[in-house]
Amino acid sequence: MPTEILMPALSPTMEEGTLAKWVKQVGDDVAAGDIIAEIETDKATMEVEAVDEGRLGKILVEAGSEGVKVNTPIALLLGEGEDEGDLEKAGSGSGGGGTKAADDADQKSSGKGSDSDGGGSAKPSRDEAVSDMSARRVPGEGKVHPEPKDVEGELAQEIPEGTEMVSITVREALRDAMAEELRRDDAVFVMGEEVAEYQGAYKITQGLLDEFGPRRVVDTPITEHGFAGLGVGAAFGGLRPIVEFMTFNFAMQAIDQIINSAAKTLYMAGGQMGCPIVFRGPNGAAARVAAQHSQDYAAWYSHVPGLKVVQPYTAADYKGLLKSAIRDPNPVIFLENEILYGQTFEIPKLDDWTVPIGKARIHRPGTDVTIVSFGIGMTYAVKAAEELAKEGIEAEVVDLRTIRPMDLDTVIRSVKKTNRCVTVEEGFPQCSVGGHIASEIMVRAFDYLDAPVLKVAGKDVPMPYAANLEKLALPSVKEVIDAVKAVTYRD
Amino acid sequence: MAAKSSRKSSSNATAGQESAKEIVKTLEHFDPPAPAKFGKDDEIRAYRDMLLIRRFEEKAGQLYGMGFIGGFCHLYIGQEAVVVGMQMAMKEGDQVITGYRDHGHMLATGMEARGVMAELTGRRSGYSKGKGGSMHMFSKEKKFFGGHGIVGAQVPIGTGLAFASQYNRTDAMSITYFGDGAANQGQVYESFNMASLWKLPVVYVIENNRYAMGTSVSRASAETDFSHRGLSFKIPGIQVDGMDVRAVKAAGDLAAKHCRSGEGPIILEMMTYRYRGHSMSDPAKYRSRDEVQKMRSESDPIEQVKKRLLGDHGMSEDDVKAIDKEVREIVADAADFAQNDPEPDPSELWTDVYADEIPQTAE
Ligand SMILES: Cc1ncc(C[n+]2csc(CCOP(=O)(O)OP(=O)(O)O)c2C)c(N)n1
Ligand SMILES: [Mg+2]
């Protein structure tokens, strides 16, 4: 029977793509490894290589088709001794193909089960994991997250009235922030693995090499400890380095330079010279990349005097805080999140949008409980607050944005109003950011508390690879809701 | 791909006159040996073992495309001769350690295709019970020590395995694999120094496949001849045609002799090539299609053996096809198994964090 060639998933997060071009045509011989088609994903154009050898019998999805779901049969391959007559035997050889309806039908009949109702098929765990993950981990993915309008105080001060808002992804916000600062100050340069010619492993530095050239956008060898230290030296020498770690997991190779050299020099030099440098990159768990590649370093770095530690949630904060970090005279650890890179938020259209380091922000006002979170933790917090509102519990959601120096005043003010607090983060529970907040609330607002502070965190285990275990290891919206109900004595 | 036959001390070697000379002398002793002479059985074994890796990896790529495998998945296609040739030079008790492009290494050590594939799909019968995934797999039985996701981290660990062998007075050697990109990590040179100082039985196999993700060797390395990288530590090195399994085997034999006779570490730079992208989501714009096709058509390690099987060794197309069929069946069975094996029990989330019973802080 002819072999079905299926629309492949080419990245851990891909669910559909555009079939841009057929490189092989019907009747062409195909050897394993030949390029048969090109497909476009959200991140890149990729070539589809043949796995089996044979002859291309039939094209089921025409070039130019958009939104082709992963696992849809896109063509039929004739094996040795097969000819066109055998095409009829192929299970899903629906007529013509290429239209979206046909694709969907094909996908169902192929029974490979990437579709949402899942059926009783053979459990393709990745699809489950990823589709669930976007629903669970990044509630509201694909939507534009509006800037909350009904918030007074801090937020209102940041955005002048009547400012036009535009939609932008976190990825674009980061790139724009770096581009603007590179234009503004010749001392600023970007350095890291694959930042220049490859355009960034996660495409955050896309286009920067073209605009600023190799003097300002520097590809390094895989030598984190070396280039982090080199960055520190360059900062001592008067430059303002932005050091990208491909992910913060790899910054552990460099953590001595970050802590012993970058963080402590100002103090050890009696204030004569410090280290204006930004260490940035994706932090925390992505999807299914297991223990050595899934770790949240917020608590680690926030332990260290001399460092500033930032972990934003919205695109506006990513942009505004990165610009502030680059201008800051201190070493700043700027923790991003891969899952958030593709998310779209509204951001004020201003020539020079900056957000001050060290200020939390009330993301959602409320009266019954304070939920404190930051970075991707906010996705659980915001979703939980929405669900709780349906049950009549109004949560005030505080987005810390900066972990160090921590804006505890905003947290304490909120807790004095709500008398209850739940913290949310993806990192490990022991010596966590939430643990620190709980201890500070105990000291500064003990008499205001009507319940113990509860923390929702990642589980106290290394991140497992298996889809079901990974899901269990991460916090969930339900855990946040349960914690809120516990501190408000509801069930 | 031809390995260099003459070798001079690198001009920027910092060692004094005397020792530089000594190094040259040592190095001359380590010109690449002639390819090993393979009998028919050797050729069949090499063909079968390389083909198993090739087909396994193709299947893994397919399962990734279907969503059965998640996260990062780095395929070894093109580099098969390196691990298979080295394996043929090893003996029972030798240890193996590598990075994240590790499926081929595991299959070469004799780990079961089913267990490796089930780990790739994150199922309970995987080598790490589904908890490690593609980059983190181990087999105590086969002396395979991982499977490491952090570039370069396996190099000091592999050196430590050799330390343990020396300490225990066994004659095992540690085969420590790493890439051309990893070769720039500082800990590699810290390891070289200790290994040479203490004459540890470790073979550093640098798999130079010309790229580290999207960066070619020349864009990342001041000294692009990795067999020279041990010079200032007095570690001899050989550049080997890593697409010819016989050349790898001969170099492996020589390295084994060197290590087991107490002479200390040695570097084998394997000149090889990866056909696929760095991982599944690599658009591979940093090299031309022609470059890849040229390697495939002119230097493929499996085709080289196949040609000899059909030529010198007088096997028929049908004989070879029978091996192909056997290999395909193993891979199909592994894939089937890996798709149907259940996910780990949820209770496994909490096991194996500590070697003894320690109460968890779970709420
Ligand atoms: C410390 C560290 N830095 C960066 C990475 C990301 N990374 C994974 S593989 C890789 C390229 C390594 O190339 P090479 O050593 O040549 O091995 P190959 O992939 O070619 O087998 C990079 C940069 C990592 N995993 N660990
Ligand atoms: Mg490489």
Side-chain angles (χ1 to χ4, degrees), chain A residues 232 236 255-268 274-275 277 279 301 304-308 330-331 333:
Chain A
V232 171
F236 287 178
I255 202 162
D256 177 71
Q257 291 290 2
I258 297 173
I259 291 170
N260 267 330
S261 306
K264 299 176 181 174
T265 295
L266 183 69
Y267 193 80
M268 296 189 301
C275 188
I277 190 169
F279 295 106
Y301 289 111
V304 182
L307 294 180
K308 293 188 177 181
N330 301 289
I333 307 294

Side-chain angles (χ1 to χ4, degrees), chain A residues 217-469:
Chain A
V217 186
V218 183
D219 276 327
T220 64
I222 310 172
T223 52
E224 287 84 5
H225 200 197
F227 69 72
L230 188 150
V232 171
F236 287 178
L239 302 185
R240 291 195 164 254
I242 305 170
V243 174
E244 174 175 307
F245 290 115
M246 192 176 285
T247 78
F248 258 93
N249 304 289
F250 315 142
M252 279 210 281
Q253 296 283 322
I255 202 162
D256 177 71
Q257 291 290 2
I258 297 173
I259 291 170
N260 267 330
S261 306
K264 299 176 181 174
T265 295
L266 183 69
Y267 193 80
M268 296 189 301
Q272 295 172 74
M273 52 177 279
C275 188
I277 190 169
V278 177
F279 295 106
R280 53 154 290 273
N283 163 71
R288 304 291 306 282
V289 292
Q292 294 186 329
H293 283 71
S294 314
Q295 209 158 203
D296 178 4
Y297 291 93
W300 290 55
Y301 289 111
S302 83
H303 193 63
V304 182
L307 294 180
K308 293 188 177 181
V309 184
V310 177
Q311 190 170 344
Y313 164 52
T314 69
D317 285 344
Y318 269 107
K319 182 172 182 188
L321 280 162
L322 183 53
K323 282 164 66 81
S324 296
I326 295 167
R327 294 178 198 181
D328 200 279
N330 301 289
V332 180
I333 307 294
F334 196 91
L335 303 169
E336 303 161 8
N337 189 287
E338 189 195 334
I339 307 268
L340 294 177
Y341 279 157
Q343 288 231 23
T344 305
F345 293 83
E346 283 191 339
I347 172 169
K349 196 176 171 196
L350 293 170
D351 282 345
D352 190 18
W353 167 248
T354 60
V355 172
I357 291 176
K359 282 198 136 187
R361 136 201 214 269
I362 310 289
H363 188 85
R364 178 191 194 280
T367 48
D368 301 332
V369 60
T370 301
I371 304 178
V372 186
S373 190
F374 52 92
I376 194 166
M378 283 291 294
T379 60
Y380 309 102
V382 170
K383 180 77 180 170
E386 280 168 17
E387 298 292 319
L388 288 161
K390 290 178 199 156
E391 300 180 40
I393 301 174
E394 290 299 332
E396 179 147 296
V397 180
V398 177
D399 182 355
L400 277 184
R401 307 194 291 190
T402 301
I403 317 299
R404 185 186 186 99
M406 194 182 287
D407 182 3
L408 284 162
D409 289 350
T410 297
V411 175
I412 300 288
R413 215 178 301 132
S414 175
V415 171
K416 284 185 175 172
K417 182 172 76 176
T418 63
N419 311 112
R420 299 158 157 94
C421 184
V422 169
T423 65
V424 185
E425 70 197 291
E426 282 197 350
F428 300 129
Q430 182 161 333
C431 299
S432 58
V433 174
H436 176 66
I437 292 171
S439 85
E440 288 293 318
I441 293 174
M442 186 183 71
V443 174
R444 293 175 58 181
F446 188 74
D447 291 338
Y448 292 84
L449 284 178
D450 286 345
V453 177
L454 289 189
K455 63 184 199 241
V456 175
K459 304 301 179 295
D460 201 14
V461 299
M463 182 63 76
Y465 166 72
N468 65 329
L469 298 186

Side-chain angles (χ1 to χ4, degrees), chain A residues 193-194 222-224 246-247 249-251 253 293, chain B residues 74-76 79 100-101 135 148-154 178-183 185 187 207-215 217 274 278:
Chain A
E193 291 159 21
E194 310 287 2
I222 310 172
T223 52
E224 287 84 5
M246 192 176 285
T247 78
N249 304 289
F250 315 142
Q253 296 283 322
H293 283 71
Chain B
H74 309 85
L75 303 181
Y76 195 63
Q79 302 180 212
Y100 44 84
R101 196 179 301 287
M135 301 186 286
H148 295 267
I150 301 301
V151 168
Q154 73 272 31
F178 55 103
D180 48 281
Q185 286 285 37
Q187 52 186 319
E207 298 197 59
N208 180 356
N209 60 9
R210 300 199 201 172
Y211 298 92
M213 215 170 244
T215 304
V217 163
R274 81 168 142 71
H278 167 74

Side-chain angles (χ1 to χ4, degrees), chain A residues 9-10 12 32-33 35 46 49 71 123 126 194 198 219 221-224 253 288 292-293 460-461 465-466 468, chain B residues 64-67 70 120 123 130-131 136 149-150 184-185 187 212-215 219 276 280-282 289 344 361:
Chain A
L10 296 169
I35 303 297
M46 303 277 301
E49 290 183 1
N71 274 347
K123 277 229 281 185
R126 186 191 144 271
E194 310 287 2
Y198 197 77
D219 276 327
I222 310 172
T223 52
E224 287 84 5
Q253 296 283 322
R288 304 291 306 282
Q292 294 186 329
H293 283 71
D460 201 14
V461 299
Y465 166 72
N468 65 329
Chain B
Y64 191 95
M66 290 161 67
L120 294 184
R123 304 305 170 90
K131 296 198 225 181
H136 318 104
I150 301 301
N184 291 322
Q185 286 285 37
Q187 52 186 319
M213 215 170 244
T215 304
R219 289 210 304 117
R276 295 295 187 94
M280 300 306 293
S281 48
D282 172 13
R289 212 44 228 166
T361 61

